[in-house]
């Protein structure tokens, strides 16, 4: 969008004439009509033009009159500052990046599809004041909205998916599982998220304004793995020490203890903590991009990865007994025994700091695939027992005298007419009465 404007700017900075860059000056009649005395900068003009100079961007096509995002383009920046965007001019121009600093693509998408129309709907004069995208207050508000709403969406999508597909529902039978625990975890998470966004916004704001070492274009293939490993190593180290510091008696009761209420965790406990607790442990992620260069999409992808990783170490799903990666089994020991396994991704700093403890019981009895095999075997045993019981009942039914007689009658072709209820009752009474009559005369005859 800014190509033409930058071209004009660079050529003018190269001190080429208007004719060389294709900009025509004012009509000759305007010049000649105002010549009265000598002008110190021109031997041919006796007086400067009386009309205002032509704006260099005004000669460009309308679709090219956008705000230049090149930080080195000082002339265009000064021109942009001299001509602020109004609501009408903003609607006429295509949406582009910030006029001075490179806008983050995420907030750019939010502006394009949601925030521009939302701010335009605000009452006058607030709507016009929020109209320019480079308004710093607007950027702060936009970042807070994105962090709060985006963080909430990521929390429910990640934790909800994990809960319904991986979380072991048998965990709820643990005596340390609290009453209404999931509802309480969600409540604390939603209560903390807006405040966590408030204290986190300054980091993203200064990243947005160009003070970090984030950049947009990858030039060599090896940048990605180097930055990935560097980010993980840097944050793994400092998150360990910050987390361990939060267990100090001076800050633990009011800062970190709310997160340790959950002795048996669920995926929804991942961010169920005091907002300063979550903010403090996120500081290394922000500091890294102010110290080391990083490709912007990789940075955003790693932020999402960190949230999903945090959910995974609280879900109680023990996938591996690896001694290097810090798994949910290690973090379960941390919640149960308090002073062990502070790490984030690996056990390296726990081993260095003397706080590592192997999750022996979890490895022995609670491994995810072992539990699946045991449950599968138990289900197969139960199915076999049920099938055996059914066969036993069927065999006993087939060998009963009634069943045998019916089979014999069917084989002989004899079919007895069905008896009615009175006939059956009469037959039973007759058989019983005959037995009584045969016995009674013998007793009477004995008396005589």
């Amino acid at each position: 969008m800014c190509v033409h404007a930058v071209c004009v700017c660079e050529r003018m900075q190269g001190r080429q004439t208007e004719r060389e860059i294709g900009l025509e000056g004012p009509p000759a009649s305007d010049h000649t009509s105002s010549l009265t005395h000598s002008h110190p900068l021109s031997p041919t003009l006796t007086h400067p033009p009386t009309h205002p100079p032509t704006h260099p961007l005004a000669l460009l096509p309308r679709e090219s009159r956008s705000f230049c995002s090149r930080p080195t383009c000082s002339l265009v920046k000064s021109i942009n500052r001299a001509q602020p965007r109004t609501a009408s001019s903003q609607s006429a121009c295509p949406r582009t990046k910030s006029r001075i600093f490179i806008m983050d693509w995420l907030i750019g998408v939010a502006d394009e599809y949601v925030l521009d129309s939302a701010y335009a709907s605000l009452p006058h004069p607030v709507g016009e004041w929020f109209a320019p995208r480079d308004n710093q207050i607007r950027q702060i508000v936009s970042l807070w909205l994105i962090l709060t709403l985006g963080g909430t969406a990521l929390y429910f999508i990640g934790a909800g998916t994990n809960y319904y597909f991986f979380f072991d529902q048998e965990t709820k039978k643990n005596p340390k599982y609290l009453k209404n625990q999931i509802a309480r975890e969600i409540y604390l998470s939603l209560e903390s998220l807006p405040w966590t966004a408030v204290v986190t916004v300054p980091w993203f704001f200064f990243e947005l304004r160009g003070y970090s070492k984030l950049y947009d274009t990858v030039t060599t293939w090896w940048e990605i793995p180097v930055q990935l490993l560097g980010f993980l190593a840097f944050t793994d180290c400092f998150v360990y020490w910050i987390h361990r510091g939060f267990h100090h008696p001076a800050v633990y009761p009011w800062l970190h203890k709310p997160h340790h209420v959950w002795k048996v965790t669920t995926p929804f406990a991942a961010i169920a903590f005091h907002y300063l607790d979550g903010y403090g442990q996120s500081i290394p992620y922000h500091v890294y991009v102010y110290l080391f260069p990083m490709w912007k999409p990789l940075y955003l992808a790693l932020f999402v990865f960190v949230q999903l990783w945090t959910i995974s170490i609280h879900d109680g799903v023990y996938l591996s007994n690896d001694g290097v990666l810090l798994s949910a089994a290690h973090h379960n020991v941390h919640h149960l025994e308090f002073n062990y396994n502070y790490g984030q991704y690996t056990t390296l700093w726990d081993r260095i700091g003397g706080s590592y403890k192997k999750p022996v019981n979890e490895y022995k009895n609670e491994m995810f695939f072992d539990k699946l095999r045991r449950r599968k075997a138990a289900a197969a045993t139960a199915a076999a027992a049920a099938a055996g019981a059914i066969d036993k009942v069927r065999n006993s039914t087939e060998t009963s005298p009634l069943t045998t007689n019916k089979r014999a009658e069917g084989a002989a072709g004899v079919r007895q007419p069905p008896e009615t209820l009175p006939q059956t009752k009469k037959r039973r009474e007759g058989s019983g009465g005959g037995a009584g009559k045969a016995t009674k005369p013998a007793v009477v005859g004995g008396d005589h």
Side-chain angles (χ1 to χ4, degrees):
M1 295 293 182
C2 300
V3 174
H4 300 288
V6 173
C7 180
V8 172
C9 170
E10 290 177 346
R11 291 189 181 186
M12 292 184 69
Q13 287 178 333
R15 298 188 178 182
Q16 296 185 11
T17 64
E18 291 184 351
R19 186 178 302 277
E20 289 174 333
I21 62 175
L23 299 179
E24 298 179 0
S29 59
D30 293 339
H31 288 277
T32 56
S33 62
S34 59
L35 301 181
T36 55
H37 59 274
S38 176
H39 191 276
L41 299 181
S42 176
T44 59
L45 297 178
T46 59
H47 192 276
T50 56
H51 63 80
T54 304
H55 192 291
L57 297 183
L59 301 176
L60 298 175
R62 188 173 188 83
E63 61 272 11
S64 301
R65 301 178 201 171
S66 58
F67 294 96
C68 183
S69 61
R70 292 186 52 175
T72 57
C73 190
S74 58
L75 177 59
V76 173
K77 291 197 314 185
S78 62
I79 292 173
N80 289 333
R81 285 193 294 268
Q83 293 192 352
R85 299 172 75 176
T86 61
S88 59
S89 64
Q90 187 180 19
S91 61
C93 294
R95 309 292 190 205
T96 58
K97 295 179 179 180
S98 170
R99 64 186 186 181
I100 299 176
F101 298 97
I102 298 177
M103 294 286 283
D104 184 85
W105 71 270
L106 183 60
I107 196 172
V109 170
D111 281 338
E112 179 73 22
Y113 294 102
V114 180
L115 298 179
D116 282 340
S117 57
Y119 291 134
S121 65
L122 295 175
H124 179 79
V126 179
E128 292 184 359
W129 188 66
F130 270 92
R133 288 188 176 181
D134 63 330
N135 182 309
Q136 296 186 15
I137 302 300
R138 165 180 166 150
Q139 290 178 348
I140 291 173
V141 174
S142 299
L143 285 171
W144 180 83
L145 289 172
I146 291 172
L147 290 175
T148 302
L149 300 179
T152 302
L154 182 60
Y155 169 68
F156 278 111
I157 292 173
T161 302
N162 190 299
Y163 177 79
Y164 285 106
F165 291 100
F166 301 104
F167 178 69
D168 185 4
Q169 301 295 328
E170 296 293 321
T171 303
K172 296 180 179 180
K173 298 178 181 179
N174 192 305
K176 295 183 179 180
Y177 183 84
L178 303 179
K179 183 180 180 180
N180 299 323
Q181 178 170 320
I182 291 180
R184 293 168 62 181
E185 290 170 345
I186 294 175
Y187 178 83
L188 182 57
S189 300
L190 297 182
E191 183 183 49
S192 301
L193 268 170
W195 295 105
T196 304
V198 167
V199 293
T200 305
V201 159
W203 293 99
F204 284 103
F205 175 73
F206 288 110
E207 291 166 11
L208 186 67
R209 304 299 292 184
Y211 291 96
S212 71
K213 294 183 181 295
L214 291 169
Y215 62 93
D216 293 294
T217 305
V218 175
T219 57
T220 55
W221 66 267
W222 52 263
E223 295 176 39
I224 304 301
V226 169
Q227 292 172 8
L228 175 63
L229 294 176
F231 179 88
L232 295 177
F234 181 89
T235 56
D236 189 43
C237 171
F238 285 97
V239 168
Y240 168 83
W241 291 108
I242 292 172
H243 186 186
R244 186 166 183 171
F246 285 172
H247 280 256
H248 191 277
V251 297
Y252 175 80
W254 63 271
L255 180 63
H256 196 54
K257 187 176 181 179
H259 186 61
H260 274 273
V261 169
W262 331 113
K263 301 300 181 183
V264 178
T265 60
T266 77
F268 293 101
I271 58 174
F273 39 43
H274 191 283
Y275 72 95
L276 289 179
D277 186 357
Y279 168 72
Q281 295 189 58
S282 73
I283 288 177
Y285 309 132
H286 301 287
V287 170
Y288 181 85
V289 297
Y290 285 86
L291 299 177
F292 307 100
M294 175 167 272
W295 187 41
K296 191 179 297 181
L298 177 62
Y299 178 60
L300 296 176
L302 284 172
F303 246 89
V304 175
F305 164 77
V306 167
Q307 304 307 316
L308 298 179
W309 179 268
T310 304
I311 291 171
S312 72
I313 62 176
H314 288 88
D315 62 6
V317 178
Y318 312 141
L319 297 175
S320 171
N321 56 3
D322 182 81
V324 176
L325 290 178
L326 188 136
S327 65
H330 295 92
H331 202 68
N332 184 65
V333 171
H334 175 72
H335 274 263
L336 289 174
E337 303 187 41
F338 185 76
N339 288 323
Y340 302 100
N341 300 345
Y342 300 102
Q344 178 75 350
Y345 311 117
T346 71
T347 61
L348 172 64
W349 291 99
D350 279 301
R351 296 177 186 273
I352 294 174
S355 57
Y356 175 73
K357 184 171 184 178
K358 185 177 180 180
V360 177
N361 181 65
E362 287 78 3
Y363 285 169
K364 183 178 180 180
N365 301 315
E366 301 295 330
M367 296 303 295
F368 179 72
F369 294 107
D370 291 342
K371 289 196 294 185
L372 286 183
R373 282 191 289 269
R374 288 197 298 268
R375 290 176 183 176
K376 186 176 180 180
T381 302
I390 293 173
D391 291 340
K392 185 176 180 180
V393 171
R394 184 179 301 165
N395 293 334
S396 63
T397 304
E398 291 177 352
T399 57
S400 64
L402 181 61
T403 306
T404 304
N405 293 335
K406 287 184 177 180
R407 287 182 178 177
E409 292 173 357
V414 179
R415 183 177 180 182
Q416 300 293 339
E419 294 181 345
T420 63
L421 183 60
Q423 291 174 338
T424 304
K425 186 175 180 180
K426 184 177 181 180
R427 177 172 57 79
R428 289 178 179 176
E429 290 176 352
S431 61
K437 291 178 182 178
T439 305
K440 189 172 182 178
V443 174
V444 173
D447 291 336
H448 291 285

